[in-house]
Amino acid sequence: TLAPPQRLVGSDASAGDYEGSSVAIDGNTLVVAAPFAAPMGRTDAGAAYVFVRNGTSWTQQAKLIASDGRNGDNFGTRAAIRGDTVLIGAPGADSFGRNNVGAVYAFVRSGTSWSQQAKLVAFDAASDDQFGFAVALDGDVAVVAARSADVGSRKDAGAAYAFARRGTMWMPQGKLVASDDGINDSFGVGVAVSGDTAIIGADFAEIAGKTDAGAAYVFQRGPMGWSQQAKLVATDGQANDWFGR
């Protein structure tokens, strides 16, 4: 017999938090993000709640917030978890005096306690990039997307950044862009990584003259870094399909 469903709500959830807009699970640990929460009175700074399962019951283990969170960061727009590591994207975070550059925060668990390990930012961060709009994690490899990054003169083409953890340090491994990127492609709207393979969605890519049909790009990591291996499109794709979202 299946256990009755359990409704999970953060211990201090408030109206308008949008808790549950992003979720991630690994084993018996669940992360539920609330990107419009207002921790310490900071409007839309965002928060995330960690729940753990014991038998058939889920209980809150922690509430995660950014150490330097500010109004409008939207920490929790995306979340990823593997084992005792959680990544939380905050695409509205300001950095270097620039607005909406974005950031990703890494948290690690020791026993039952969670602490912030690192803050990840793009090495070439620019205003309105929205770095952290999508995040993916596998072991010690993270891929973070900035769907509104400009690439050359191509506004909002989008980009993604790979990081590898060495000890407690997250080191940049490269910047990933589509070989045929175009204006407003939104490359980085979605991202996934497994081992040495990453896939990145570009939901507004134009395919064979079909506006916003969308595409996804596969990248492979080798001795010389990350390189594009394939471009995936739907065989029957149509305008406004948003393939890759």
Side-chain angles (χ1 to χ4, degrees), residues 129-170:
D129 276 0
Q130 295 187 30
F131 175 94
F133 184 85
V135 298
L137 174 67
D138 188 24
D140 291 319
V141 176
V143 179
V144 180
R147 68 165 183 168
S148 297
D150 298 343
V151 179
S153 61
R154 296 174 292 283
K155 183 174 176 57
D156 296 341
Y161 299 79
F163 295 83
R165 179 167 51 185
R166 299 290 183 266
T168 61
M169 302 293 292
W170 289 87

Side-chain angles (χ1 to χ4, degrees), residues 5 9 23 31 36 58 60 92 98-99 151 192 207 220 231-232:
V9 182
V23 297
V31 180
F36 292 97
W58 292 86
Q60 183 178 318
R98 305 181 182 106
N99 296 327
V151 179
I207 306 299
Q220 192 75 21
K231 177 182 179 179
L232 310 180

